[in-house]
Amino acid sequence: MENFLPAVLWLSCCYLIVGSSIRICRHCFGDESVASQFLHVTVITVAIIIPGLTIQGACGLLFPVVALLLPTAMACAAWQLLKRRPPARVQRRDEKAPDPLPVCFWALVAGVLFGHSLVNGVLQFPTDWDTLMYHLPYIDHWLQTGSLAATESPRWSNPANSELLGLWFAIPFSGDFLVPLNNLPVVILWVAAAIELSRLFGLSGWWPHLAAAACIAVHTTVHETDDASNDLMVPACFLASVYYAIRFRQSQTPAHLMFFGMTLGLLAGTKFFAAGYALLSGIAFAAMCYGRLGLIRTLRTSLLAVGISLLFGGYWYARNFWITGHVFYPSGSADLHRRIPHPDLPRTTLAWNDDPRVPEYFLDAIWRLCGPLHFAATLLLPTIPLLVSLACWHDRSRRRRSGLLFFLLLGTAALTLATPMLVEDQPGTLNHLRWGYTPVRYSLCFLCIMMLSTTVAVSEIARRTTSGVGRRMQQLFALAVVAQLAYRFWSASTPAHPDAVGQLNMPTPIAAGAITLLLAGAILVVLRRRLCSPLVVAITTGSMLSVLICFAGHRWDRDFAAFYNAYYSTVYFTTHAEQPTRLLILDERSYPFFGSRRQNYLFQPMLFDGVTETRRLMQAKQLSMVVTRIENHKLLARYRPSWEALDKDPAFEQTGKGVELRVFTLKQDADVGRLPGSGNTH
């Protein structure tokens, strides 16, 4: 029960932050639609947690209790300061009573996603390549050092707002078992932004919900809501930033400008290639402002928006410049080709790879990992903007909206074509395209804008036909969207590619989601009918959740070593579980070697630079063991020579092995790096 008190504290902080966010939302935006309230509250919550943790990490004060209390104090202080000002009076832009069918639909989707994250995420051990390679290692390095400037990982310089959100789910606990929940608020942001943006583009009724459902009906949604991946945050923040840019043009209110700056910063701080989408959103914002404010006011407003965005995403780039002198490090430095050994980076993009199979493989990826809707929209891509433009030609405001949609479609398509590593990371293999997953996750912003455009085009055609034909078109489109979304979950029970590990269990998540919805409904009934005191409900619910968190933490600690023993075909994780150790990792997937309680210190160089450099690193960093893993199936593998080189060197002794794993110690100083009391960082 060691995680019980941390769970109580964490849940209390979450309650206070979300409660303050709801009050801030109602104060700033009045009585808006349900989807917009979800959007505002999620943005506020994320925009409080991330700067709060960033401030502490930048100061080297990323300690568990403080890290929870500072964002909570910031949320409460923001509400106390804001409530002194007059509240906004905003009329609702849709019906007073929400249509129950969309509410039931999204409740069902939310239940399935939550059950999936719980059963296939929290109750499983991570196996996703990128999650093991750097998403989770970031979190553990930060916790061990107390700083966001920890350079023990070769990818330390990447922007990491998504991982910082994951840190919130890990920081008070002994392990990282709750981190798979970090993408749930991101999906809420994604769906709400898609719905509200669709309404601004002229959709009404069921159409905005169909557009949002089409946006998330991709394999990436299922795949990344059970691990710590960061791709979903890019389209979520991109759509939200475009939404707030349009709202600011309409209202000229400081609240919408503030929210545009926040979402722009959250987007730019997610990953390097997201900076391109942040630039695209910023250009769209400036263009819209120029048409209404003129040049001087547009420049002032744009600079203010950029200044706000720096508070929510600028730290990562400032940190890189402070440490290396390069804002986009390793880009611009001599380390770029050490980090990315591909000899011809332009050939890793769709635009500059001249292999004739590229279009075929890209369309195949869209078909397999998205579905018929995305595939048909991609084939008809030149036709969709034309249909939208023709339909809106005689209405000035609608014509302006269609122009913005066309600009976003063209911009996201250009960025997708120019995204590095989308085609391959092994020269001449087109391995990422053939796998299919990478091109889809790197093009989510383009796919979302494409589906919004498609929905607008179909709705315009339906609107211009007779009522009966238009209704049938909407029903057929709704059936296609729901079928594709359902298939994405059903197909997740089989591996998406030959290298996938295991299969997902989907019936159990559906049952878990249904139980969650029933419990949430019962709590709402109790609160609305005042059958019980809200304080009693909060204490009872919090206690139950704390017990469940303790169960998940106990299971994580108990089975961690055995799981990764089987994963690596070794006995290393059980034989080295007791003694905290300082390790040099020459393996792309470093995370399992931290241990279930983050008890081991890890240092992972960018490349294997020979035995002499390995010995120097071990002495300089006081490391006692070297872990190596061979990659026979890759042409380019940063650590491949380490296996044979260390085995042949007389200074090293092999002390553990697996099918592809070897563990070495220095014979002359085998005990260097064993630090008594350096176990759990808490």
Side-chain angles (χ1 to χ4, degrees):
M1 299 293 284
E2 64 176 308
N3 286 309
F4 184 80
L5 290 179
V8 172
L9 177 62
W10 181 75
L11 290 169
S12 301
C13 292
C14 289
Y15 174 80
L16 290 172
I17 291 175
V18 174
S20 298
S21 299
I22 292 173
R23 292 183 176 91
I24 292 171
C25 166
R26 290 174 177 172
H27 188 87
C28 291
F29 296 103
D31 192 18
E32 294 195 357
S33 67
V34 174
S36 64
Q37 290 183 43
F38 271 100
L39 174 61
H40 303 326
V41 170
T42 308
V43 169
I44 296 168
T45 300
V46 174
I48 286 172
I49 290 174
I50 286 180
L53 295 178
T54 301
I55 292 170
Q56 296 167 97
C59 299
L61 301 173
L62 204 58
F63 305 125
V65 175
V66 178
L68 289 175
L69 297 181
L70 181 58
T72 308
M74 290 172 59
C76 296
W79 164 239
Q80 292 299 320
L81 291 173
L82 194 62
K83 73 177 184 179
R84 299 176 183 176
R85 299 188 176 186
R89 299 297 179 188
V90 181
Q91 294 294 324
R92 289 189 68 152
R93 295 177 293 108
D94 60 352
E95 61 273 14
K96 289 293 181 182
D99 188 346
L101 285 178
V103 172
C104 293
F105 171 75
W106 287 118
L108 179 62
V109 173
V112 173
L113 279 172
F114 178 77
H116 167 59
S117 295
L118 181 65
V119 174
N120 294 317
V122 173
L123 299 181
Q124 302 296 327
F125 293 97
T127 56
D128 174 70
W129 182 284
D130 285 355
T131 296
L132 297 181
M133 181 169 64
Y134 67 99
H135 297 309
L136 284 175
Y138 280 176
I139 293 173
D140 286 5
H141 285 310
W142 295 339
L143 286 172
Q144 288 185 345
T145 62
S147 170
L148 297 182
T151 58
E152 285 82 356
S153 167
R155 293 177 175 267
W156 65 269
S157 58
N158 288 8
N161 273 351
S162 179
E163 289 79 10
L164 206 56
L165 186 59
L167 176 66
W168 177 261
F169 289 86
I171 199 164
F173 306 113
S174 62
D176 304 318
F177 45 90
L178 288 189
V179 174
L181 299 176
N182 78 315
N183 271 319
L184 290 182
V186 173
V187 173
I188 295 173
L189 176 61
W190 187 10
V191 169
I195 292 173
E196 289 302 302
L197 187 59
S198 299
R199 286 174 174 160
L200 292 182
F201 283 128
L203 297 179
S204 60
W206 261 92
W207 289 108
H209 302 282
L210 296 178
C215 287
I216 67 169
V218 295
H219 176 75
T220 317
T221 305
V222 183
H223 181 75
E224 296 197 0
T225 44
D226 62 3
D227 60 35
S229 298
N230 59 9
D231 296 293
L232 301 184
M233 199 167 187
V234 179
C237 291
F238 175 69
L239 295 181
S241 66
V242 173
Y243 166 76
Y244 285 117
I246 299 173
R247 288 296 304 273
F248 175 74
R249 185 191 182 281
Q250 294 174 341
S251 68
Q252 302 292 304
T253 59
H256 287 126
L257 178 62
M258 181 70 182
F259 274 64
F260 169 73
M262 290 193 298
T263 51
L264 194 70
L266 293 174
L267 173 61
T270 300
K271 58 199 317 180
F272 278 131
F273 86 73
Y277 293 100
L279 178 62
L280 178 65
S281 180
I283 292 173
F285 172 80
M288 285 187 286
C289 288
Y290 177 73
R292 186 161 186 176
L293 301 179
L295 180 61
I296 302 301
R297 289 184 63 192
T298 296
L299 288 175
R300 286 204 302 261
T301 304
S302 299
L303 288 175
L304 180 58
V306 171
I308 294 171
S309 72
L310 293 177
L311 301 175
F312 300 89
Y315 165 77
W316 310 106
Y317 300 95
R319 175 203 62 182
N320 291 353
F321 183 77
W322 179 264
I323 296 177
T324 70
H326 300 278
V327 173
F328 293 94
Y329 178 85
S331 180
S333 73
D335 290 334
L336 177 62
H337 289 288
R338 289 168 56 82
R339 166 83 71 81
I340 305 175
H342 196 290
D344 189 5
L345 279 180
R347 285 189 62 84
T348 68
T349 67
L350 288 170
W352 288 282
N353 191 300
D354 56 2
D355 193 306
R357 297 171 295 173
V358 166
E360 175 190 351
Y361 285 154
F362 182 74
L363 287 174
D364 179 66
I366 297 296
W367 174 261
R368 288 188 293 113
L369 298 180
C370 296
L373 284 172
H374 294 76
F375 184 78
T378 305
L379 292 178
L380 299 173
L381 189 58
T383 309
I384 293 170
L386 179 62
L387 289 175
V388 175
S389 300
L390 289 175
C392 303
W393 187 256
H394 298 290
D395 188 316
R396 183 177 179 182
S397 62
R398 291 163 66 85
R399 189 166 64 245
R400 186 186 297 116
R401 291 198 298 263
S402 69
L404 175 61
L405 197 56
F406 178 73
F407 171 76
L408 294 174
L409 186 63
L410 187 64
T412 54
L415 289 171
T416 297
L417 291 173
T419 300
M421 312 309 290
L422 187 148
V423 171
E424 63 185 22
D425 66 353
Q426 301 293 311
T429 63
L430 305 182
N431 58 322
H432 284 174
L433 266 185
R434 287 187 290 105
W435 174 20
Y437 180 68
T438 300
V440 170
R441 73 186 180 101
Y442 280 176
S443 59
L444 285 175
C445 290
F446 163 68
L447 295 175
C448 287
I449 297 298
M450 183 176 68
M451 293 316 299
L452 288 180
S453 304
T454 302
T455 310
V456 170
V458 174
S459 69
E460 286 293 336
I461 295 172
R463 188 174 65 86
R464 292 173 180 272
T465 59
T466 62
S467 59
V469 174
R471 192 181 306 111
R472 289 187 182 89
M473 287 185 63
Q474 185 180 42
Q475 291 169 351
L476 287 174
F477 192 77
L479 181 63
V481 170
V482 173
Q484 182 169 311
L485 184 60
Y487 178 77
R488 290 273 56 97
F489 283 94
W490 178 78
S491 63
S493 60
T494 59
H497 64 100
D499 296 329
V501 179
Q503 300 178 0
L504 295 182
N505 174 4
M506 295 312 298
T508 306
I510 293 173
I515 294 172
T516 303
L517 288 177
L518 290 174
L519 290 175
I523 292 172
L524 287 176
V525 169
V526 169
L527 291 175
R528 286 188 175 184
R529 296 188 177 182
R530 299 181 180 179
L531 301 177
C532 188
S533 168
L535 180 61
V536 173
V537 173
I539 292 175
T540 303
T541 305
S543 300
M544 292 173 60
L545 290 175
S546 299
V547 171
L548 292 175
I549 289 173
C550 289
F551 167 76
H554 172 72
R555 183 182 176 278
W556 174 274
D557 291 334
R558 183 193 65 198
D559 298 338
F560 185 96
F563 177 84
Y564 286 109
N565 271 349
Y567 183 74
Y568 275 97
S569 299
T570 183
V571 295
Y572 166 83
F573 294 97
T574 49
T575 56
H576 293 78
E578 298 298 328
Q579 182 69 48
T581 309
R582 295 175 67 90
L583 301 170
L584 180 70
I585 304 296
L586 301 177
D587 178 9
E588 293 275 16
R589 293 170 287 183
S590 63
Y591 177 72
F593 301 98
F594 279 101
S596 65
R597 297 169 176 269
R598 317 180 189 105
Q599 65 266 29
N600 300 322
Y601 171 87
L602 270 57
F603 182 83
Q604 185 181 9
M606 196 173 292
L607 285 173
F608 173 67
D609 290 317
V611 175
T612 302
E613 175 65 11
T614 300
R615 287 200 296 264
R616 188 196 69 79
L617 283 174
M618 293 188 73
Q619 295 290 343
K621 302 286 184 180
Q622 294 185 308
L623 308 173
S624 62
M625 288 185 178
V626 185
V627 177
T628 67
R629 183 178 180 273
I630 195 166
E631 289 287 354
N632 286 319
H633 64 284
K634 288 187 175 182
L635 296 173
L636 300 177
R638 287 196 288 267
Y639 306 114
R640 174 177 292 163
S642 62
W643 178 301
E644 293 86 356
L646 295 175
D647 196 37
K648 294 175 182 177
D649 192 280
F652 287 92
E653 177 183 10
Q654 186 183 128
T655 57
K657 66 178 182 179
V659 173
E660 295 183 342
L661 189 73
R662 294 292 185 273
V663 182
F664 298 92
T665 58
L666 275 172
K667 291 180 182 178
Q668 65 269 34
D669 196 7
D671 292 330
V672 171
R674 293 196 179 273
L675 302 179
S678 66
N680 189 342
T681 56
H682 304 299

